[in-house]
Amino acid sequence: MKKLVLIAFFGICSLVGSAQVRFPQVDKSPMDMSYYPANYPILKIQDKVKEPLMARVVYSRPLKNGRRVFGELVEYGSIWRLGANEATEIELFRDAKIGNSRVKKGRYSLFAIPSQDKWTIILNKDTDVWGAFLYDAKKDVARTDVAVSRNTEPLEAFSMFFESNNGNIYLMIGWDQETVRLPISFF
């Protein structure tokens, strides 16, 4: 009888153990998010919000991993999704001016065409897309060229954040040895 109980016990344990949910592994390029104003959700729960939410960017953060990024991994002159995995998205909570283009509030994909001295940053109305494989220039709502500056230290992870400087707002985009500043103003 004891053998039968033990066999039943181990049988049930093995069934329970094999029925566990298997979660996917952590992505090599994890998703991240940046807000303007910076840390908006934290400020909101702390009741320290001084200005309304204006913009949010959602992107994946690939790593350099010893590779030469621009000119090789990310080809100069080719459309790039600004990160990894799904195309990067920016959500504007007010109408804005990006470069010289007026853009209505809403959610847009962000792409870039990098070159050695400048990047063309593109806002496109097609969202929830993987990479730049189905990029359609007919759906662009804004394009602006921004100058490249060289970093003194290489950035291991692709990074984006909003910066406010003397009343101007910039989306800072950097990876490896390159950084660009996308000017944004809100109405």
Side-chain angles (χ1 to χ4, degrees), residues 73-92:
L73 180 63
V74 176
E75 295 177 21
Y76 286 132
S78 295
I79 193 78
W80 175 45
R81 65 184 129 193
L82 275 175
N85 304 330
E86 289 183 46
T88 292
E89 290 187 1
I90 187 168
E91 187 167 4
L92 305 171

Side-chain angles (χ1 to χ4, degrees), residues 25 30 34 48 52 58 61 83 104 106 129 133 147 164-165 170 172 174:
Q25 299 228 344
S34 185
K48 294 181 180 178
V58 179
R61 302 187 70 181
K104 296 261 184 219
V129 294
F133 302 106
S164 179
N165 189 340
Y170 299 93
M172 305 297 293

Side-chain angles (χ1 to χ4, degrees), residues 37-135:
N39 299 316
Y40 181 83
I42 294 168
L43 295 173
K44 187 175 179 180
I45 64 169
Q46 294 174 345
D47 201 27
K48 294 181 180 178
V49 173
K50 294 181 179 160
E51 57 186 315
L53 179 59
M54 306 291 251
R56 174 179 61 195
V57 65
V58 179
Y59 65 104
S60 289
R61 302 187 70 181
L63 300 175
K64 179 175 166 44
N65 282 337
R67 303 174 287 187
R68 182 167 171 249
V69 174
F70 295 103
E72 289 186 18
L73 180 63
V74 176
E75 295 177 21
Y76 286 132
S78 295
I79 193 78
W80 175 45
R81 65 184 129 193
L82 275 175
N85 304 330
E86 289 183 46
T88 292
E89 290 187 1
I90 187 168
E91 187 167 4
L92 305 171
F93 295 93
R94 288 193 171 172
D95 293 351
K97 184 177 180 187
I98 297 183
N100 293 319
S101 300
R102 292 177 73 95
V103 179
K104 296 261 184 219
K105 75 177 186 174
R107 191 166 57 108
Y108 303 93
S109 290
L110 272 175
F111 296 94
I113 301 173
S115 67
Q116 287 184 327
D117 300 322
K118 70 174 183 169
W119 292 8
T120 301
I121 304 292
I122 303 164
L123 270 77
N124 186 283
K125 60 184 168 186
D126 197 10
T127 58
D128 303 308
V129 294
W130 188 265
F133 302 106
L134 298 176
Y135 167 75

